[in-house]
Amino acid sequence: MKILFCNITYMNHYIGQIDQDIPQGGGAWVKKHKDAHEKWNFLNVNGKCYGFAMNKGDQFHIERIEGVSRQDMQAENVTVVWCASKSGETVIVGWYENATVYRYFQDSFKTPVGLGRDYFVEANANDCYLLPEERRTYTIGRASVDGTGTGFGQNNFWYADSQHAKEHIVPEVAAYLQTQKNYRINKTNEAFLL
């Protein structure tokens, strides 16, 4: 299974309404500005969702995703699992199926307030699932606590490419996601049309 775990700030809906849905966690910039680029990750824009997570480098190492080479500029049909810190644990808040993950940030899409936002993941809105708060209980480990290859390290991305992750964590997460599909709270039939 092609999979990528991304760590983002914690929000309820990720549709850009920071006056009602204040981003929590996510670092000093988010705390200072009470804003986050990932606030739009589950907004349906013309039938698509566009995902963002903070990257300290100039590219995403998509070659670590199964079946992707160093020459590829994008990875297709990836399950992108969005995680955030809640009560001191990193939990799954939602995911994109059949997503395209780009090596470099893509040109901005326009948000409802007319601002451009960079993204590196896109998927059809029908393939995007945001869980309600009470269903955000599945924890993803931290390598510093659980050991190398068992969860997020210092980056906001975990490729789950260790043998342990491939044999144990990824199958368990895949099974969990299947059981949660009917709990989706994002509205796929109400697109923001540009």
Side-chain angles (χ1 to χ4, degrees), residues 7-11 13-16 23 25-26 30 35-42 50-54 82 117-118 156:
N7 193 38
I8 57 177
T9 190
Y10 191 91
M11 298 181 73
H13 299 286
Y14 299 93
I15 56 173
V30 172
D35 198 357
H37 291 289
E38 56 264 45
K39 71 183 176 188
W40 305 103
N41 279 9
F42 284 90
Y50 298 92
F52 175 92
M54 182 53 121
W82 301 102
R117 285 291 191 241
D118 292 340
N156 287 324

Side-chain angles (χ1 to χ4, degrees), residues 24-133:
Q24 301 169 28
W29 193 92
V30 172
K31 186 175 182 178
K32 178 180 178 182
H33 298 281
K34 295 186 177 22
D35 198 357
H37 291 289
E38 56 264 45
K39 71 183 176 188
W40 305 103
N41 279 9
F42 284 90
L43 178 70
N44 180 350
V45 180
N46 293 332
K48 297 270 192 180
C49 287
Y50 298 92
F52 175 92
M54 182 53 121
N55 184 10
K56 296 176 183 175
D58 66 341
Q59 67 175 292
F60 300 90
H61 293 283
I62 62 171
E63 68 274 5
R64 292 185 63 187
I65 298 172
E66 184 177 312
V68 180
S69 76
R70 288 185 183 273
Q71 289 74 39
D72 291 331
M73 291 293 110
Q74 63 194 49
E76 302 287 341
N77 300 311
V78 179
T79 298
V80 177
V81 181
W82 301 102
C83 303
S85 180
K86 177 183 176 186
S87 302
E89 294 185 304
T90 302
V91 296
I92 294 175
V93 298
W95 70 98
Y96 293 2
E97 293 181 350
N98 305 309
T100 300
V101 180
Y102 296 97
R103 184 173 295 281
Y104 299 98
F105 278 118
Q106 298 300 293
D107 292 336
S108 302
F109 72 92
K110 293 291 183 192
T111 66
V113 293
L115 298 174
R117 285 291 191 241
D118 292 340
Y119 65 95
F120 79 100
V121 179
E122 73 176 282
N124 290 326
N126 288 334
D127 288 335
C128 300
Y129 299 84
L130 180 63
L131 294 173
E133 286 196 75

Side-chain angles (χ1 to χ4, degrees), residues 143-184:
S144 61
V145 175
D146 301 331
T148 303
T150 59
F152 286 100
Q154 294 182 356
N155 292 319
N156 287 324
F157 307 97
W158 181 45
Y159 298 91
D161 53 357
S162 71
Q163 198 61 37
H164 174 77
K166 289 178 184 178
E167 291 177 4
H168 301 284
I169 299 171
V170 172
E172 289 174 13
V173 167
Y176 169 76
L177 298 182
Q178 288 302 313
T179 67
Q180 300 303 303
K181 284 187 168 187
N182 292 333
Y183 297 102
R184 171 200 326 234

Side-chain angles (χ1 to χ4, degrees), residues 131-144:
L131 294 173
E133 286 196 75
E134 68 273 8
R135 308 290 311 175
R136 298 176 184 181
T137 58
Y138 194 102
T139 60
I140 298 298
R142 290 284 178 180
S144 61

